[in-house]
Amino acid sequence: IYIRIYKYYSFLCFEEFGPVFVQEPDDLIFAVDSEEKKVMMACEARGNPKPTYSWLINSTEVDVEDDFRYSLIDGNLIITNASEAVDYGVYQCRAENSLGIVLSRDALLQFAYLGAFSGRTRGAVSVREGQGVVLMCAPPPHSPDIIYSWVFNEFPSFVAEDSRRFISQETGNLYISKVQPSDVGSYICLVKNTVTNARVLSPPTPLTLKTDGVMGEYEPKIEVHFPPTVMAAKGVTVRLECFALGNPVPTITWRKMNGNIPKKARLRKSQAVLEIPNIQLEDSGSYECKAENSRGGTAFRGYLQVYMYPQWISMINDTQLDSGEQLRWECKATGKPRPSYRWLRNGAPLSPQNRVEMVNGELIIHRVQQTDSGMYQCVAENKYGAIYSSGELKILASAPMFKTTSVKVIATVGKDVSLECRPQASPKPRVSWRKGDRRIQPSKRYDEIILLRNNTLRIINSSRSDEGSYVCRAENQFGSAEKTTALLVKEAMRVELSPSRVEVTVGESVVLSCKAIHDPSLDVSFLWLLNSQPLNFQKEGGHFEYIQTQSSTADLMIRSILLKHAGKYGCRVQTSADTVYAEAELLVRGPPGPPGVVIVEEITDTTATLSWSHGVDNHSPITAYNVQARSPFSLGWQTVRTDPEPVTGDMESAMAVELNPWVDYEFRVVATNAIGTGDPSAPSRAVRTKEAVPSVAPANVSGGNGRRHELVISWEPVSEEFQNGEGFGYIVAFRANGSRGWKEKMVTSADSTTYKYRDETFPPLTPFEVKVGVYNNKGDGPFSRVVTVYSAEGEPRESPSEVKAISVSSSEIQVTWKPPNPGPGKPRGYEVSYWKDVEQEDSAKKKRTLGNETSMLLSGLEGNTRYLITVKGFNSIGQGPASAAVHASTRKPSPTQAPNNLMWIQEGNNVSLTWEPVKSMANESDVIGYKVLLRQEGRSHSQVMRTPNPSAVLTLPEGGTYIIEVRAISEGGEGTASSQVRVLTSSGKKKMPWAA
């Protein structure tokens, strides 16, 4: 018999295992006209030893060695110059190593192509107007599916589908239920391959109308419909077609005979297509399409049957068994039709034998042997597909072996001790124990030594006399092994933790000391715990420090104690013989915890009766409570007055007083003790105080401004916090000085800030006594104090006088005026309007003064143009009347010609300049002189010299380069500058023309 020795140390070798697929081949469609002439079927498996690969096509092995068209790259099969005739079929990858063989799932290789239509001329189809017609596509050879469309007369004018025209994606034919004269023409069928996107066109089919009359009405005839039985895989989209010829054009309707059409279904192409996405088993059933018109109706009925590929419910797993044990594997799958099962061992069919049973996906092998080792596969299949589940069976056969053959165990006097014996072996070995040379018979000391079922030897209430060497021996038919355990028995350890109970205040520090009394030959370790959880000294923010003063003593320093540090502190002391635990309690006094939830018991317009429950006092009695409130108008939480006041620590209710009516409030309570103030309670639910008459009058009542004969009264609005109820508004009261009765006006908007009263009888700046009150649905509130407000002086009443306009240049006019007579409506500024005399005043441009200036320079005007100008005053109320229009004309523009041919003679620092005179055009101002500009290079400031003649003499300072230019001067302003002259101051004579 073959014996495999399994290693138990991972560093000696890696465990061997059979092939397991990482990637299995998928169905593939290869385009025949692809530039890449190679097909690759992918396959990859892992295993130890590394797997080798081979392939099957239609259950026949592919000969990679002898057929040059096939090659393997790792596990991938490469097919060169693939052809449908030879290579179409179902492929399987086979992975193999010394432990077994597995087969992949099936993968179908198909070829995509689209042939050409027959070039034979198609005959014309002639029908009567109103008759139905079917134009045949007769598609060329193709694979896989194609998409049909039809071209009318010429590409790309496609036939649009509607209730009268339909293109079947099953037959490819074009159906016209009722032919019209507009349908006459040439029709071409266009088909497109769904994989390659290749397209081909059929020869044209002419459609003509007969001249022997018009077709009368007739009942529908269903010309294209779905098959009597439609098979569809679960999860796909199903399209059922139904279209009829008829006159009038038939209407298509659908129904499901044994239930309702699924809600997810959609009607396409004028209801000629019923589309059901993601079809499920419950969508199966009988479907009917019905075609109707005014002449009658007809129907077709077919059955939609949904099938389901097999899907795993449970699969098999790798299994290790001892020789002689029983293997039981079960795999389960669902599918429609219900799947059947078969089993493979190392890629070959497995059949029932003496020890092998196979029933409904269950495999049983009795008394397994080494020859049963290998790779097994359960195959679940129905007529639509097959799925594979793989597992490796290993039959173990090895002599006993211990991970360690010698150990030392230290026990404590009076405690039980267990000596383990766990050999690795297959089959299970026989185990025996001995102490020294004497075999241990547990039955002789039943009360002191027990041999457990897992071969562990347990010594009860151990003592010094139990010390010694214990040997566990394991043996089976392949060999034997022993393990020696040296047992030492030590005195029990004691642990003292002090203080055992301590009370501290938040912020203080304390030290807990843990001392172990133990056998000095044993090493000792300490572990500190809080509430049974080990302390993490790095994550506690420096509050805890571990201090070991001696080998047998460890201290725990707790600094700046917080409330959360209260609890049970444990010291766990461990030696190789024993573990002892001691515990101390730490009580932390601190500010109180948050009180219980606050409940609003009763609410009025200004009070709220509150109750709450005590929170934890953290070991210091609560002395007082602080009641706080928050509203939309408060800046966070604010302390409120209470009744009684103060609220002592033994109370659990109080009344909040002096609240504002008709305001939403939340309440919370904060507890205080001798240590400090704690966290607040959770807020109460929001409650609104009841309504009341307003109690706050408007502030800052004033007025003024406005138009003539208006009294404008203004005030600061009352905040919503003090409106005290619904229906809030203002009462505006006023009277002229010296009169007795008040006039009162209601302002219903709570946001209003002004009121205007108009009376033509009172003159400007009439003094009035004014006050503003408040009201709401509950009644009237207080008035503000009385103030004096003057009626408006109004907008300016008179226009400015003595308006004059003088032309300054070709683009500027100076306007001046005198202000109107003093009186009410004094201007605060002036607005000048100006427009060309060929334009309307509505198009006038406007320009305002910054203050009470009485002149303005209008610039940016057109030259040699007549303008009309008016002036009006304005203030904050409005504008006054405009003055009578005055007119002024801008001067002709300055000459556009620049001075030319500048000549200059330099004698020392003197420069004599001459130039050609500038001649004005007919539409330009006459030249009245010239301006010579002189500046030093690199500086912006220029010296200016005026001359009536076309010449000038300049004196230049010594040192430097100077730039000179000349401009003509006219009534219209300055003309274009000449080219620049650059002069360097030096001695001697120079005469030369200068061109910039």
Side-chain angles (χ1 to χ4, degrees), residues 19 21 25 43 45 51-56 59-62 72 75 91-97 100-104 346-348 377:
F21 282 113
C43 180
T52 59
Y53 302 90
S54 58
W55 283 80
L56 304 175
S59 301
T60 301
E61 187 164 352
V62 175
L72 280 178
Y91 286 74
Q92 275 186 294
C93 174
R94 182 166 58 194
E96 174 178 3
N97 67 10
I101 302 170
V102 288
L103 293 179
S104 74
N346 294 329
Q377 289 179 285

Side-chain angles (χ1 to χ4, degrees), residues 595 598-600 607-612 624-630 637-648 651-657 659 665-672 677 680-681 684:
V598 177
I599 298 173
V600 182
T607 67
T609 302
L610 312 174
S611 65
W612 61 89
Y625 288 100
N626 176 250
V627 178
Q628 298 176 349
R630 177 174 64 182
W637 290 94
Q638 303 290 330
T639 299
V640 296
R641 297 196 61 183
T642 59
D643 183 16
E645 197 170 44
V647 182
T648 58
M651 299 174 63
E652 292 186 316
S653 65
M655 178 184 292
V657 298
L659 305 177
Y665 283 99
E666 294 175 281
F667 298 94
R668 71 182 188 183
V669 178
V670 183
T672 301
T677 299
S681 68
S684 71

Side-chain angles (χ1 to χ4, degrees), residues 418-676:
S418 295
L419 309 182
E420 292 185 346
C421 180
R422 296 183 179 178
Q424 301 285 346
S426 181
K428 292 181 180 178
R430 297 178 299 279
V431 174
S432 61
W433 282 89
R434 70 176 186 271
K435 182 181 180 184
D437 296 330
R438 181 173 57 86
R439 182 167 181 172
I440 297 176
Q441 298 293 338
S443 59
K444 293 185 178 180
R445 294 182 58 195
Y446 182 82
D447 294 334
E448 297 180 14
I449 296 181
I450 301 174
L451 182 60
L452 303 180
R453 289 189 175 183
N454 63 357
N455 299 317
T456 296
L457 191 69
R458 177 171 292 176
I459 301 174
I460 309 299
N461 192 20
S462 60
S463 64
R464 292 278 190 177
S465 62
D466 293 317
E467 289 185 335
S469 293
Y470 293 79
V471 178
C472 165
R473 179 180 175 82
E475 55 184 332
N476 64 12
Q477 64 266 39
F478 300 114
S480 63
E482 291 185 345
K483 174 185 176 181
T484 301
T485 302
L487 176 62
L488 302 176
V489 182
K490 304 291 186 179
E491 292 296 330
M493 176 174 57
R494 293 185 297 109
V495 172
E496 296 176 354
L497 178 57
S498 62
S500 60
R501 188 177 188 276
V502 61
E503 292 189 14
V504 295
T505 301
V506 167
E508 295 180 345
S509 301
V510 72
V511 175
L512 301 180
S513 182
C514 183
K515 182 178 181 181
I517 298 92
H518 62 95
D519 189 306
S521 64
L522 301 177
D523 293 330
V524 64
S525 63
F526 296 86
L527 177 66
W528 286 96
L529 303 95
L530 173 56
N531 297 325
S532 302
Q533 297 298 318
L535 280 175
N536 188 327
F537 291 89
Q538 281 70 38
K539 292 185 178 180
E540 292 296 338
H543 289 284
F544 295 97
E545 182 182 356
Y546 178 89
I547 304 172
Q548 188 160 0
T549 56
Q550 302 175 10
S551 62
S552 299
T553 303
D555 294 342
L556 176 65
M557 167 71 80
I558 312 174
R559 295 187 177 89
S560 303
I561 288 175
L562 305 177
L563 285 173
K564 67 177 183 178
H565 295 150
K568 302 283 189 179
Y569 284 80
C571 176
R572 181 180 296 163
V573 186
Q574 187 171 10
T575 67
S576 54
D578 201 3
T579 300
V580 179
Y581 181 80
E583 196 170 72
E585 183 178 11
L586 177 63
L587 299 177
V588 180
R589 295 186 299 270
V597 62
V598 177
I599 298 173
V600 182
E601 304 282 359
E602 185 179 355
I603 193 81
T604 69
D605 56 347
T606 59
T607 67
T609 302
L610 312 174
S611 65
W612 61 89
S613 59
H614 289 298
V616 294
D617 62 8
N618 289 324
H619 309 293
S620 178
I622 297 172
T623 56
Y625 288 100
N626 176 250
V627 178
Q628 298 176 349
R630 177 174 64 182
S631 75
F633 312 105
S634 65
L635 188 62
W637 290 94
Q638 303 290 330
T639 299
V640 296
R641 297 196 61 183
T642 59
D643 183 16
E645 197 170 44
V647 182
T648 58
D650 58 346
M651 299 174 63
E652 292 186 316
S653 65
M655 178 184 292
V657 298
E658 299 181 7
L659 305 177
N660 290 326
W662 201 58
V663 171
D664 291 327
Y665 283 99
E666 294 175 281
F667 298 94
R668 71 182 188 183
V669 178
V670 183
T672 301
N673 62 12
I675 309 300

Side-chain angles (χ1 to χ4, degrees), residues 25-91:
D26 293 310
D27 292 344
L28 183 64
I29 301 177
F30 178 71
V32 172
D33 58 354
S34 171
E35 294 181 0
E36 177 61 52
K37 298 302 181 182
K38 294 181 180 180
V39 177
M40 186 182 81
M41 305 293 286
C43 180
E44 182 185 357
R46 59 184 176 87
N48 187 20
K50 185 177 180 180
T52 59
Y53 302 90
S54 58
W55 283 80
L56 304 175
I57 176 174
N58 300 325
S59 301
T60 301
E61 187 164 352
V62 175
D63 192 346
V64 178
E65 298 295 333
D66 293 339
D67 193 332
F68 71 92
R69 295 188 314 112
Y70 298 114
S71 60
L72 280 178
I73 300 179
D74 294 328
N76 302 325
L77 176 65
I78 310 299
I79 308 174
T80 305
N81 297 325
S83 69
E84 184 179 29
V86 178
D87 299 311
Y88 175 89
V90 176
Y91 286 74

